[in-house]
Every structure is written in C-alpha cells, then in structure tokens.
Amino acid sequence: MASVNKVIVLGNLGRDPELRYTPNGAAVCNVSIATTRNWKSKDSGERQEETEWHRVVFYDRLAEIAGEYLKKGRPVYVEGRLKTRKWQDKDGKDNYTTEIIAEQMQLLGGREDGAGGGSGGGYGRGGSAGDDEAPARPAASRPAPRQAPAAKPASGFDDLDDDIPF
C-alpha cells in the first residue's frame, strides 16, 4: 500500500532563522512559522482566531538561502514532510519533537519584504523518498535568466537586477 507524507504551510516567520553548520559542513536552518485560522463562533457569533506554530528545518543550500533571505514577520510558503525525532534531556527523560523537513520554499511578499517583485522566489531540494537519516542535497530551482529589454521601459525600473538569486 502506498503512503504519503506531505505538508504545505503558508504563514509568517515568528523569529529570525537560526542557521548553523554540522561538523561535516552541512548547513541546517531552523525557523518557526505561524499559521492562523479564523472562524465565527456558533454560540456567540463572535470572531475566533487560533494561531498554530510549526517548526521547520531546512538543510544544505536551501538552509543557506533561508538563513539569508528569511526574516521575522516575513510571509513564506513551505512544502515538506513531517519527521518526529526522539531526544533525551539532561535528566535522561525521553522527549519527542515533530518538525517539517522543508523540501521546497517560496519567498512571498513585495520588495519592502526584501523580495524582488510580488511573486518571490522558489527553491527546492532533490532527494529520494524515504531517506530520513541523510537529507538529499538541495538544488535551488531558478527561472531562466531574464533577457535584456530592446528599449528602456518607461517605468524607469530597468536597473532592478540585484543579488537576489531569483
């Protein structure tokens, strides 16, 4: 029987990313993403709101991109899979943490959020299914390079090419 482990989260970063490197040089970036659900109470008719926090882990090149371009409050779209890991605290008590292992990311928002244009940029990781212990090396997926316009546009925005990799 086939199975699926797929998560899609679209929300805002609750704090700046924490980028670190493993002893063998692999980048790991941790973020917290908030999603909010709104509804109207059936009893009182009042508007209700519930915020859920999601732990997201990026690896390798995708981690470096997340660490560089994501900032607290910034909207982001993430696709990945759920992974629960077990760890022991200093008293030897077993603890469990469920995280989203990011496989793709889409930066959202306009230039004021640090992204170019309104669509942001998309990044993904390649990998084989079921490879839980050693995440696959990500590959940034970028659109084809932009062609130089034949004539200067009337908007005056012809020199907006910057160092953002999308």
Side-chain angles (χ1 to χ4, degrees):
M1 180 170 129
S3 62
V4 175
N5 181 354
K6 177 102 174 167
V7 177
I8 297 174
V9 177
L10 184 126
N12 295 319
L13 258 66
R15 56 186 159 85
D16 285 338
E18 296 174 11
L19 178 63
R20 58 187 165 74
Y21 291 87
T22 63
N24 66 354
V28 180
C29 185
N30 294 304
V31 301
S32 292
I33 298 177
T35 56
T36 303
R37 180 175 79 97
N38 295 300
W39 73 96
K40 196 177 229 183
S41 171
K42 292 181 182 176
D43 299 332
S44 66
E46 291 182 24
R47 190 175 104 99
Q48 303 289 316
E49 182 176 280
E50 175 185 59
T51 299
E52 187 74 29
W53 290 93
H54 311 276
R55 295 174 183 256
V56 180
V57 182
F58 298 92
Y59 289 100
D60 299 315
R61 181 67 182 130
L62 194 57
E64 292 173 341
I65 293 167
E68 184 174 349
Y69 291 104
L70 294 180
K71 299 290 178 235
K72 179 180 178 178
R74 173 134 193 214
V76 64
Y77 170 92
V78 173
E79 288 185 28
R81 61 185 168 82
L82 289 177
K83 170 98 174 153
T84 301
R85 45 182 190 93
K86 179 181 172 182
W87 53 279
Q88 289 186 336
D89 62 14
K90 60 184 174 219
D91 299 326
K93 180 184 170 199
D94 288 344
N95 292 289
Y96 296 87
T97 301
T98 301
E99 301 165 320
I100 298 169
I101 306 301
E103 295 171 351
Q104 291 186 9
M105 171 181 66
Q106 181 80 31
L107 304 174
L108 303 175
R111 184 165 288 281
E112 68 276 358
D113 292 327
S119 64
Y123 299 91
R125 325 183 16 227
S128 59
D131 186 12
D132 287 340
E133 299 307 317
R137 299 282 176 203
S141 60
R142 297 183 180 124
R146 289 182 268 177
Q147 297 291 330
K152 258 190 174 177
S155 67
F157 292 111
D158 59 331
D159 59 343
L160 288 180
D161 291 341
D162 46 28
D163 292 336
I164 299 176
F166 48 86

